[in-house]
Amino acid sequence: MQQHDIAHHLATPLMNPAYPPVVPRFTDREYLNIVYRTDRDALRAVVPEPLEIDEPLVRFEVMRMGDVTGYGPYTEAGQAIPVRYEGERGEYLHAMYLDNFPATASGREASAYPKVTGSPALYVDHGALVGVLDYGTVRVATATMGYKHHELDPEEAAAQITVPTFMLKLVPGFDGTAQVAQLVRTEISDVVVKGAWSGPARLQLFEHVLAPLADLPVREIVSAAHILTDLTLAPVRPVHDYLAR
């Protein structure tokens, strides 16, 4: 392969890249969102400056992707933290766990999503919507919500999932020092809310050294939502460079 051909390739391995060259469209993306109150000091320990915290809240999410262009169906779980950046309210993506390697690799390499492998699931069990996350063979999260107890306004549902999202893009050099260290911003676009519901909910987080969701402990359940959508993820753009100083 000639040198000028290399730059036209997206990822390695060259002949079968880890992820496809597509802008994915998510069809029938199903959310279980539980917003809970946690300890302010715990949030301060993990939310990077210059992001600011108002209330000590966390959104635990489990998402079942019905179909995704280039990736197919998969499931994802994680934690997002409400923050402000230069007066704009949004969420900081703290951690995400997936059961699909191409989606994990592209999220990290082509974007800045804090994705690692895990085994999440979302299903209905005896009148409850259940979201779980296992890391290896160990259960680290169990969320339950009353199944479709109350209709949720579609505009309110769309507002929950379309807030600006902030993430860290960290790329080390070969000597271990930071080559890229940026705070980036993205958001969801082209949203079609197909159904949305609220209801009572519970959330249990279990301690695990490699999946430390419980480091942001559950003190009070604030709200819960079950949302079915179609959507597209916008490209990320840097908003703060940690190496500029």
Side-chain angles (χ1 to χ4, degrees), residues 56-160:
L57 300 177
V58 180
R59 181 171 62 86
F60 175 78
E61 62 180 6
V62 182
M63 297 173 287
R64 181 170 57 194
M65 319 300 179
D67 183 69
V68 186
T69 309
Y71 302 95
Y74 64 92
T75 308
E76 183 172 334
Q79 290 170 311
I81 300 168
V83 294
R84 282 184 295 113
Y85 176 71
E86 295 186 343
E88 182 181 47
R89 295 186 181 276
E91 289 184 330
Y92 169 65
L93 286 187
H94 176 52
M96 309 175 79
Y97 300 83
L98 287 72
D99 60 3
N100 181 299
F101 176 74
T104 303
S106 67
R108 294 181 63 91
E109 294 180 19
S111 188
Y113 291 91
K115 298 186 176 188
V116 296
T117 56
S119 299
L122 183 63
Y123 57 93
V124 179
D125 184 19
H126 292 278
L129 182 64
V130 179
V132 297
L133 173 62
D134 294 346
Y135 191 86
T137 61
V138 179
R139 177 64 43 88
V140 294
T142 300
T144 55
M145 174 184 169
Y147 186 68
K148 297 185 178 181
H149 279 204
H150 309 288
E151 291 278 353
L152 185 63
D153 180 74
E155 291 187 3
E156 181 181 346
Q160 287 188 24

Side-chain angles (χ1 to χ4, degrees), residues 169-182 242-243:
K169 178 69 172 181
L170 301 177
V171 179
F174 292 109
D175 61 355
T177 60
Q179 192 172 55
V180 176
Q182 297 175 330
Y242 293 96
L243 301 181

